[in-house]
Amino acid sequence: MPTKIEIDPLTRIEGHLAIKLEIESGQVAKAYCSGEMFRGFENILRGRSPMDAQQITQRICGVCPISHGMASLKAQEQAYNLTLTDNGRLTRNLILGANYIQSHLVHFYHLSALDFVDITAILNYGGSDATLKGLQAWVKAQLDSQTMFPAAPFLPRYNGDYLPNLDANIGAIKDYVDALEMRAVAQEALALFGAKAPHATALIPGGITEKVTAKKIAAYGSILSRLRSFIDRIYIPDVVAVASAFPAYFKVGRGCGNFLAYGVFDQDNGGHLLPAGRIKQGALSSTDPAQISEDTSHAFFSSQSGLHPYQGQTEPSPHKPGAYSWLKAPRYEGQPYEVGPLARMLVAHQKGHAQAKPMIDKLLGDLGLEATALDSVMGRHAARALECKLVADACAQWLDKLQPGQPTFTDFEIPASGKGAGLTEAPRGALGHWIEIADHKIKNYQCVVPTTWNGSPRDSNGVPGPMEQALEGTPVVDSNNPLEAARVVRSFDPCLACAVH
Ligand code: NFE
Ligand code: MG
């Protein structure tokens, strides 16, 4: 008889995710990921002005709102036949770049690091750093108090094989605190061109409404140099240190073996900083959006299964027999695909990307690993950190190319009818919005979202989604403390708020 475990909710992720595991012979035999709520953004959008879409869809999430805004704009721009000015394209890259940086930092430090770092080490801190002493005093007071969950959100936690070294733990806790400040300043950089953070009001079809001024360029540049310094001196070394301390996690969490990327950060040559591509069981191939569909057989939707997003429907059916998740199951040619920084970095690596390939090869060389080891828990963390550097470095180049006083938008009129697909990459992976306009109004709107890909339930062939496949085979030493499973899920950086949209 398998031991059944429910992790519900899984904490330190965005949104509401339940994980059900069947453990046999000390490892996960079966895994089920359930998105636990319905939101209905696609239905809210129907009948509204298309111009509302980039604002409403940003409210799908507070962590990756810019990507939803960008996907919406790209869908509309295809429908309106619009091209961007150089300033429009560059400022959007800078807005999105700042969002990527804050998202990757929050994921590593504030969501994932406490799976590896021993937060209780703060009680043994003997140094004089004011922030750490303050944190120590707070934890001690909490533990002495009568509150139900003292020192939340740090405690309670699963018991397990945390970093044993006091200095390493204290250093990581200090970086955790400093990363909060970095996250805040990245949002300030975003708002310089986005006008507001986290939900940018400046996003309009054809560009952005904010102007480019020398003052904004200087302000963004000053924040960016702090961020780049933190990424180079703190973030990447911390990820390498965790990877070196937990080498087994390059063998744990292998996903479905398929990777998909739509391409993101538009360059002046029509290409992308992070290229589009698809890897099917090791083989690089191109990406054709016509091959995308959403299976609903195990999702709480009565909508027909297997529809392309242009035909997609969102009809909730909370009591549907056999359903166990509010996520649809996106499939490419009927197969599950992992999306995210690892997918983007693997595609870039296989394509011989000028910056990504040497960075990845150096990391693999330093850690003595083959490229196949990247399809793992630690590979996902490493890919995210390297990508963060690549994006931050590119932001400096885009900033240099801005032209103060030149237009940031192209004028347009909304046509009475039209269709458009907006494909981009959110921090967590491939994101698409599909819009159909009729009579100047939104007739249909469908979002196929990164965590919907990664966290999808089984499809009509019974094939589990990428996170479910990554969980299966994971060793779990103590079924009362399934820390290993939590590490696997968190390596995907799931956002269930996005996934159920
Ligand atoms: Ni709510 Fe999101 C990202 C999108 S994940 S965080 O990145 O789109 O599904
Ligand atoms: Mg959808």
Side-chain angles (χ1 to χ4, degrees), residues 444-462:
N444 198 16
Y445 202 103
Q446 289 284 310
C447 312
V448 181
V449 178
T451 300
T452 323
W453 282 99
N454 287 338
S456 79
R458 284 156 172 71
D459 57 33
S460 56
N461 298 319

mmCIF file of all heavy atoms in Angstrom, residues 444-462:
data_model
loop_
_atom_site.group_PDB
_atom_site.id
_atom_site.type_symbol
_atom_site.label_atom_id
_atom_site.label_comp_id
_atom_site.label_asym_id
_atom_site.label_seq_id
_atom_site.Cartn_x
_atom_site.Cartn_y
_atom_site.Cartn_z
ATOM 1 N N ASN A 444 -13.670 37.127 -27.810
ATOM 2 C CA ASN A 444 -13.090 36.021 -27.036
ATOM 3 C C ASN A 444 -11.671 36.390 -26.634
ATOM 4 O O ASN A 444 -10.971 37.092 -27.372
ATOM 5 C CB ASN A 444 -13.090 34.717 -27.842
ATOM 6 C CG ASN A 444 -12.907 33.495 -26.937
ATOM 7 O OD1 ASN A 444 -13.075 33.585 -25.713
ATOM 8 N ND2 ASN A 444 -12.557 32.368 -27.514
ATOM 9 N N TYR A 445 -11.273 35.952 -25.450
ATOM 10 C CA TYR A 445 -9.922 36.239 -24.942
ATOM 11 C C TYR A 445 -9.460 35.009 -24.184
ATOM 12 O O TYR A 445 -10.153 34.510 -23.295
ATOM 13 C CB TYR A 445 -9.958 37.450 -24.001
ATOM 14 C CG TYR A 445 -8.614 38.138 -23.850
ATOM 15 C CD1 TYR A 445 -8.339 39.326 -24.514
ATOM 16 C CD2 TYR A 445 -7.615 37.585 -23.047
ATOM 17 C CE1 TYR A 445 -7.103 39.961 -24.386
ATOM 18 C CE2 TYR A 445 -6.379 38.213 -22.928
ATOM 19 C CZ TYR A 445 -6.134 39.407 -23.592
ATOM 20 O OH TYR A 445 -4.913 40.029 -23.474
ATOM 21 N N GLN A 446 -8.304 34.499 -24.545
ATOM 22 C CA GLN A 446 -7.782 33.311 -23.867
ATOM 23 C C GLN A 446 -6.323 33.528 -23.495
ATOM 24 O O GLN A 446 -5.536 34.058 -24.291
ATOM 25 C CB GLN A 446 -7.895 32.084 -24.796
ATOM 26 C CG GLN A 446 -9.327 31.607 -24.998
ATOM 27 C CD GLN A 446 -9.872 30.843 -23.793
ATOM 28 O OE1 GLN A 446 -9.231 29.922 -23.283
ATOM 29 N NE2 GLN A 446 -11.053 31.220 -23.331
ATOM 30 N N CYS A 447 -5.984 33.126 -22.296
ATOM 31 C CA CYS A 447 -4.605 33.205 -21.812
ATOM 32 C C CYS A 447 -4.112 31.770 -21.575
ATOM 33 O O CYS A 447 -4.801 30.980 -20.931
ATOM 34 C CB CYS A 447 -4.523 33.937 -20.480
ATOM 35 S SG CYS A 447 -5.415 35.510 -20.426
ATOM 36 N N VAL A 448 -2.941 31.462 -22.088
ATOM 37 C CA VAL A 448 -2.295 30.180 -21.773
ATOM 38 C C VAL A 448 -0.981 30.552 -21.085
ATOM 39 O O VAL A 448 -0.111 31.172 -21.680
ATOM 40 C CB VAL A 448 -2.062 29.327 -23.031
ATOM 41 C CG1 VAL A 448 -1.419 27.994 -22.652
ATOM 42 C CG2 VAL A 448 -3.380 29.085 -23.769
ATOM 43 N N VAL A 449 -0.883 30.190 -19.817
ATOM 44 C CA VAL A 449 0.022 30.853 -18.876
ATOM 45 C C VAL A 449 1.124 29.877 -18.423
ATOM 46 O O VAL A 449 0.886 28.659 -18.372
ATOM 47 C CB VAL A 449 -0.839 31.396 -17.693
ATOM 48 C CG1 VAL A 449 0.010 32.058 -16.650
ATOM 49 C CG2 VAL A 449 -1.906 32.344 -18.218
ATOM 50 N N PRO A 450 2.320 30.396 -18.078
ATOM 51 C CA PRO A 450 3.437 29.508 -17.740
ATOM 52 C C PRO A 450 3.101 28.415 -16.718
ATOM 53 O O PRO A 450 3.373 27.236 -16.960
ATOM 54 C CB PRO A 450 4.499 30.460 -17.178
ATOM 55 C CG PRO A 450 4.214 31.778 -17.811
ATOM 56 C CD PRO A 450 2.740 31.819 -18.063
ATOM 57 N N THR A 451 2.521 28.808 -15.580
ATOM 58 C CA THR A 451 2.273 27.773 -14.575
ATOM 59 C C THR A 451 1.122 26.861 -14.985
ATOM 60 O O THR A 451 1.002 25.753 -14.459
ATOM 61 C CB THR A 451 2.063 28.411 -13.180
ATOM 62 O OG1 THR A 451 3.247 29.137 -12.847
ATOM 63 C CG2 THR A 451 1.823 27.366 -12.103
ATOM 64 N N THR A 452 0.304 27.303 -15.941
ATOM 65 C CA THR A 452 -0.702 26.377 -16.470
ATOM 66 C C THR A 452 0.004 25.257 -17.233
ATOM 67 O O THR A 452 -0.370 24.081 -17.124
ATOM 68 C CB THR A 452 -1.714 27.118 -17.354
ATOM 69 O OG1 THR A 452 -1.981 28.412 -16.796
ATOM 70 C CG2 THR A 452 -3.017 26.357 -17.445
ATOM 71 N N TRP A 453 1.056 25.615 -17.996
ATOM 72 C CA TRP A 453 1.879 24.577 -18.656
ATOM 73 C C TRP A 453 2.533 23.675 -17.612
ATOM 74 O O TRP A 453 2.401 22.449 -17.667
ATOM 75 C CB TRP A 453 2.999 25.221 -19.480
ATOM 76 C CG TRP A 453 2.599 25.796 -20.807
ATOM 77 C CD1 TRP A 453 2.337 27.108 -21.078
ATOM 78 C CD2 TRP A 453 2.444 25.091 -22.051
ATOM 79 N NE1 TRP A 453 2.021 27.256 -22.417
ATOM 80 C CE2 TRP A 453 2.090 26.043 -23.033
ATOM 81 C CE3 TRP A 453 2.570 23.747 -22.432
ATOM 82 C CZ2 TRP A 453 1.858 25.706 -24.370
ATOM 83 C CZ3 TRP A 453 2.344 23.416 -23.762
ATOM 84 C CH2 TRP A 453 1.985 24.373 -24.712
ATOM 85 N N ASN A 454 3.267 24.277 -16.675
ATOM 86 C CA ASN A 454 4.096 23.476 -15.763
ATOM 87 C C ASN A 454 3.265 22.710 -14.738
ATOM 88 O O ASN A 454 3.597 21.591 -14.378
ATOM 89 C CB ASN A 454 5.096 24.380 -15.020
ATOM 90 C CG ASN A 454 6.226 24.858 -15.911
ATOM 91 O OD1 ASN A 454 6.518 24.240 -16.948
ATOM 92 N ND2 ASN A 454 6.863 25.954 -15.537
ATOM 93 N N GLY A 455 2.198 23.328 -14.265
ATOM 94 C CA GLY A 455 1.423 22.724 -13.179
ATOM 95 C C GLY A 455 0.204 21.974 -13.669
ATOM 96 O O GLY A 455 -0.672 21.635 -12.873
ATOM 97 N N SER A 456 0.147 21.710 -14.970
ATOM 98 C CA SER A 456 -1.085 21.148 -15.540
ATOM 99 C C SER A 456 -1.392 19.766 -14.973
ATOM 100 O O SER A 456 -0.487 19.023 -14.596
ATOM 101 C CB SER A 456 -0.964 21.067 -17.062
ATOM 102 O OG SER A 456 -0.190 19.952 -17.440
ATOM 103 N N PRO A 457 -2.692 19.436 -14.947
ATOM 104 C CA PRO A 457 -3.066 18.072 -14.545
ATOM 105 C C PRO A 457 -2.858 17.094 -15.712
ATOM 106 O O PRO A 457 -2.370 17.477 -16.775
ATOM 107 C CB PRO A 457 -4.553 18.217 -14.216
ATOM 108 C CG PRO A 457 -5.030 19.321 -15.117
ATOM 109 C CD PRO A 457 -3.856 20.270 -15.256
ATOM 110 N N ARG A 458 -3.223 15.861 -15.483
ATOM 111 C CA ARG A 458 -3.152 14.852 -16.541
ATOM 112 C C ARG A 458 -4.043 15.243 -17.724
ATOM 113 O O ARG A 458 -5.009 15.987 -17.547
ATOM 114 C CB ARG A 458 -3.598 13.496 -15.968
ATOM 115 C CG ARG A 458 -2.523 12.861 -15.107
ATOM 116 C CD ARG A 458 -3.089 11.880 -14.103
ATOM 117 N NE ARG A 458 -2.033 11.141 -13.407
ATOM 118 C CZ ARG A 458 -1.207 11.661 -12.498
ATOM 119 N NH1 ARG A 458 -1.323 12.940 -12.152
ATOM 120 N NH2 ARG A 458 -0.284 10.915 -11.923
ATOM 121 N N ASP A 459 -3.727 14.704 -18.899
ATOM 122 C CA ASP A 459 -4.550 14.950 -20.089
ATOM 123 C C ASP A 459 -5.375 13.716 -20.421
ATOM 124 O O ASP A 459 -5.395 12.746 -19.659
ATOM 125 C CB ASP A 459 -3.677 15.413 -21.260
ATOM 126 C CG ASP A 459 -2.569 14.416 -21.589
ATOM 127 O OD1 ASP A 459 -2.804 13.194 -21.412
ATOM 128 O OD2 ASP A 459 -1.480 14.858 -22.005
ATOM 129 N N SER A 460 -6.040 13.732 -21.555
ATOM 130 C CA SER A 460 -6.953 12.629 -21.896
ATOM 131 C C SER A 460 -6.204 11.318 -22.120
ATOM 132 O O SER A 460 -6.794 10.246 -22.064
ATOM 133 C CB SER A 460 -7.777 12.980 -23.133
ATOM 134 O OG SER A 460 -6.901 13.291 -24.193
ATOM 135 N N ASN A 461 -4.883 11.408 -22.371
ATOM 136 C CA ASN A 461 -4.079 10.183 -22.475
ATOM 137 C C ASN A 461 -3.554 9.732 -21.116
ATOM 138 O O ASN A 461 -2.774 8.776 -21.044
ATOM 139 C CB ASN A 461 -2.878 10.407 -23.409
ATOM 140 C CG ASN A 461 -3.330 10.742 -24.820
ATOM 141 O OD1 ASN A 461 -4.278 10.140 -25.330
ATOM 142 N ND2 ASN A 461 -2.675 11.716 -25.440
ATOM 143 N N GLY A 462 -3.935 10.450 -20.053
ATOM 144 C CA GLY A 462 -3.448 10.101 -18.714
ATOM 145 C C GLY A 462 -2.021 10.553 -18.471
ATOM 146 O O GLY A 462 -1.401 10.166 -17.478
#
